[in-house]
Amino acid sequence: MTVSAFQTLEAALSDEHYPEVDLALRRGRHIGRDDGTQYEYLVDAQATLEVFYRRFGCELIQQSDGYFYLLPSGDRLGRRQLSAGQMLVGQTLALMYLDPVTLQHGGAVARETLLQRLQALLGIDVLVRTLEPRKRKYDERVAAETLRTKVAEALRRLADLGFVDVLDDTRLRLRPALMRFAEPVRGLGDPNVALERLVARGDVGLGEATDEPVDEMPDEES
Amino acid sequence: MSALLPSNPNRLIASLARDQVNIDLKTVDVCFVAGLYLRADRAALASFEEDILIDMFEQVCDVVDPGADNPRKRATHAIQRLREQRMLTRVDGAGIVRAGDYALTRLAAAVVEYFLTDEALTRENLTLLTGTLRVHLAEVLASAKKAEDGEAWRTTVVGPLRVTVSDLVSGIERRQRGLDAQQEEVQAEIAKLLQADWFSAIEQCQTLLDTTTSTLRELNEVLLRDTHHFVALLQEVQILAAAADNGETEDAVQRVIEHVDRIAAWGSTRQRAWSDYYQYIHRYLRDVVRLDPDRALSQRLRDQTAAWPGRPFFLRVADTPSILLLRALEARVERPPVAQPQAEREIEPKWVEPEDRHADIDALVEQALDAGFKTLAEVSARVLLELPESLHYAATGRIADVLGRRTPVRILHERPWTPVSSQIEIEDWAIHKKRAS
């Protein structure tokens, strides 16, 4: 267990960073080294805050890639699952994060490159069926436009959650939190076993591929 | 360089646009100019005869476009092209009497120097430049203390500031740009090494990172230390110029101070940007490359993504909604309902006398003719008196029509325009006599 630089919970909560960090974590944001002093605060206060958040039925998780996030383990705090679009875009961005080509610009990539990679990995047909399951037939031109819209929506949400930074209309900066999408295949063992472990821990949920995020709101009576 | 800058940049831009100045050099042109530059440098030539130009072009053509036809003819076109592009200038005055002598222009020299000269920024050349600059600034300050009149200020202070000092400062800037280009190459090299060798490239990448970091740190230290001295010296000159009420010197000093500030700012921003990049690469090397020496993670993740639609899973995140903030109560202002004034829509009809304006006009024209009026103007003026003003304009046409039917008219070649009321004039007719009806 890490030793906290804050001797008491009161000291940690009195710090100027606490309100912003707490709100961000509760909204699902992944706070990493790119967030500067917020990350440093979490490193310093981790031991104290772990105990604090556990009382609310959630775990303060720190990953070796250098980011923190809050994982609700009980029903006291609201939680949600990412949508199909967010999952597909997130995994593709994680692949781009691993690609050395993105190093040249310090992790900045073009949106167009993301769209090309998605299309190359899955094909328009699979993308449309996954992101628009109600559509039986589609016009290719309209489908391309729909995909762009869905990807843009997914990027906005992923940026809110701290997986990526939107630099401008054309460029994104990849953040280490994207490695969370690669967790099931991180180890050398069977990915199915790794996925089961993540489900048991509450990191991941299984279900039908739908583009609607699933809200898992806490039970009001508890 | 600042001495050559116009006081009104808009005028320069407008004249360049008006003259449609453009520079369009093909690879063969750039190589041609570079070849001439190097030849002039080696042989200490001030100008080239046409035969030398053609010979150089043929050599360049062998490299750039080996299968080209008729290189001599192409050389003639290339020489003409470079003259139009202001890269070559004819320096003899013989006209068409004989083949000319040509020289490279400053523009050509600058283009070649950009590509050829290695202006790497090292601690040695930066220290040399800053040391030389400090000496010159000290001399300028000494001259400023002794200057007594405008001419002395101009020749011993402003002149050196605009030429020597500016050249030295520009030299530092050029080298800074060279280092920027080097850094981009280092970044590209690191990406290429990792793509090619992955785990085996870690040590090489580390060395590249450390070398560039150390170079940048040394340069920044020199810049921070020396630019501080420069600004102090320049400010002393500025104070002396202000005391002597010499605005020209103050402006020249201010421009150099801004130039020096830019150089200092370059060092800080580059340091910060490089530091961010350095940390990013280090994290990548530690968290991605070292932990996955066989680069298997990318392949496994690719497989996972491709198979995801058939075996979906979803990351879970916290999602607590924001606390509801109720809006502060405000007193509602009662607004009156929208209404319009009540008016009586139904109006009682009134009996009016029937009107036959045409018959009235006919009768009035008859009366005017009987009264002995001799011209259209006289008849019109008489009839219009009996009609309301709102009908005057329309009635004039009717009057002329009735007159024309009742009596023959005589029209002069030049029909005069005659006023018949305060607001109406007509082209007049003379009337013969009333026709028997």
mmCIF file of all heavy atoms in Angstrom, chain A residues 6 44 48 131 140 174 180 186 195 198:
data_model
loop_
_atom_site.group_PDB
_atom_site.id
_atom_site.type_symbol
_atom_site.label_atom_id
_atom_site.label_comp_id
_atom_site.label_asym_id
_atom_site.label_seq_id
_atom_site.Cartn_x
_atom_site.Cartn_y
_atom_site.Cartn_z
ATOM 1 N N PHE A 6 -0.486 12.977 2.442
ATOM 2 C CA PHE A 6 -1.434 13.658 3.325
ATOM 3 C C PHE A 6 -1.639 12.764 4.549
ATOM 4 O O PHE A 6 -2.012 11.602 4.430
ATOM 5 C CB PHE A 6 -2.776 13.882 2.605
ATOM 6 C CG PHE A 6 -2.681 14.841 1.458
ATOM 7 C CD1 PHE A 6 -2.478 14.391 0.171
ATOM 8 C CD2 PHE A 6 -2.795 16.203 1.671
ATOM 9 C CE1 PHE A 6 -2.386 15.275 -0.888
ATOM 10 C CE2 PHE A 6 -2.708 17.096 0.619
ATOM 11 C CZ PHE A 6 -2.498 16.629 -0.662
ATOM 12 N N ASP A 44 -0.244 11.620 -4.484
ATOM 13 C CA ASP A 44 0.059 11.940 -3.083
ATOM 14 C C ASP A 44 -1.038 11.473 -2.147
ATOM 15 O O ASP A 44 -0.764 11.053 -1.021
ATOM 16 C CB ASP A 44 0.246 13.460 -2.918
ATOM 17 C CG ASP A 44 1.531 13.939 -3.545
ATOM 18 O OD1 ASP A 44 2.430 13.098 -3.753
ATOM 19 O OD2 ASP A 44 1.636 15.152 -3.829
ATOM 20 N N THR A 48 -5.022 7.621 1.171
ATOM 21 C CA THR A 48 -6.127 8.163 1.962
ATOM 22 C C THR A 48 -7.435 8.100 1.186
ATOM 23 O O THR A 48 -8.482 7.706 1.720
ATOM 24 C CB THR A 48 -5.830 9.630 2.331
ATOM 25 O OG1 THR A 48 -4.508 9.733 2.834
ATOM 26 C CG2 THR A 48 -6.806 10.148 3.355
ATOM 27 N N LEU A 131 -23.246 -0.186 -35.530
ATOM 28 C CA LEU A 131 -23.613 1.123 -34.999
ATOM 29 C C LEU A 131 -25.053 1.503 -35.323
ATOM 30 O O LEU A 131 -25.642 2.342 -34.655
ATOM 31 C CB LEU A 131 -22.665 2.199 -35.562
ATOM 32 C CG LEU A 131 -21.195 1.974 -35.203
ATOM 33 C CD1 LEU A 131 -20.333 3.086 -35.777
ATOM 34 C CD2 LEU A 131 -21.021 1.927 -33.690
ATOM 35 N N GLU A 140 -24.431 3.728 -49.504
ATOM 36 C CA GLU A 140 -23.042 3.826 -49.045
ATOM 37 C C GLU A 140 -22.641 5.247 -48.693
ATOM 38 O O GLU A 140 -21.924 5.490 -47.711
ATOM 39 C CB GLU A 140 -22.110 3.288 -50.132
ATOM 40 C CG GLU A 140 -20.782 2.827 -49.556
ATOM 41 C CD GLU A 140 -20.029 1.951 -50.515
ATOM 42 O OE1 GLU A 140 -20.519 0.860 -50.815
ATOM 43 O OE2 GLU A 140 -18.960 2.383 -50.956
ATOM 44 N N LEU A 174 -3.625 11.287 -28.227
ATOM 45 C CA LEU A 174 -3.927 10.021 -27.563
ATOM 46 C C LEU A 174 -3.378 10.034 -26.148
ATOM 47 O O LEU A 174 -2.276 10.539 -25.914
ATOM 48 C CB LEU A 174 -3.293 8.861 -28.359
ATOM 49 C CG LEU A 174 -3.619 8.861 -29.850
ATOM 50 C CD1 LEU A 174 -2.878 7.738 -30.547
ATOM 51 C CD2 LEU A 174 -5.108 8.736 -30.083
ATOM 52 N N ARG A 180 -6.649 0.929 -21.418
ATOM 53 C CA ARG A 180 -7.716 0.184 -20.723
ATOM 54 C C ARG A 180 -8.480 -0.683 -21.720
ATOM 55 O O ARG A 180 -9.006 -1.743 -21.364
ATOM 56 C CB ARG A 180 -8.659 1.178 -20.037
ATOM 57 C CG ARG A 180 -9.217 0.629 -18.748
ATOM 58 C CD ARG A 180 -10.171 1.539 -18.051
ATOM 59 N NE ARG A 180 -11.242 0.719 -17.500
ATOM 60 C CZ ARG A 180 -12.401 1.176 -17.066
ATOM 61 N NH1 ARG A 180 -12.658 2.465 -17.119
ATOM 62 N NH2 ARG A 180 -13.298 0.352 -16.589
ATOM 63 N N ARG A 186 -3.738 -7.852 -22.593
ATOM 64 C CA ARG A 186 -2.467 -7.353 -22.098
ATOM 65 C C ARG A 186 -1.517 -8.490 -21.711
ATOM 66 O O ARG A 186 -0.315 -8.468 -21.952
ATOM 67 C CB ARG A 186 -2.749 -6.474 -20.874
ATOM 68 C CG ARG A 186 -1.950 -5.244 -20.631
ATOM 69 C CD ARG A 186 -1.939 -4.241 -21.710
ATOM 70 N NE ARG A 186 -0.811 -3.353 -21.553
ATOM 71 C CZ ARG A 186 -0.837 -2.210 -20.895
ATOM 72 N NH1 ARG A 186 -1.942 -1.819 -20.310
ATOM 73 N NH2 ARG A 186 0.235 -1.457 -20.808
ATOM 74 N N LEU A 195 -10.807 -11.755 -19.751
ATOM 75 C CA LEU A 195 -12.072 -11.020 -19.819
ATOM 76 C C LEU A 195 -12.986 -11.409 -18.660
ATOM 77 O O LEU A 195 -13.638 -10.555 -18.045
ATOM 78 C CB LEU A 195 -12.746 -11.307 -21.163
ATOM 79 C CG LEU A 195 -13.875 -10.384 -21.582
ATOM 80 C CD1 LEU A 195 -13.400 -8.946 -21.674
ATOM 81 C CD2 LEU A 195 -14.454 -10.829 -22.933
ATOM 82 N N LEU A 198 -11.938 -9.632 -15.611
ATOM 83 C CA LEU A 198 -12.333 -8.221 -15.636
ATOM 84 C C LEU A 198 -13.827 -8.068 -15.358
ATOM 85 O O LEU A 198 -14.252 -7.114 -14.694
ATOM 86 C CB LEU A 198 -12.008 -7.603 -16.998
ATOM 87 C CG LEU A 198 -10.518 -7.420 -17.300
ATOM 88 C CD1 LEU A 198 -10.297 -7.064 -18.763
ATOM 89 C CD2 LEU A 198 -9.904 -6.331 -16.418
#
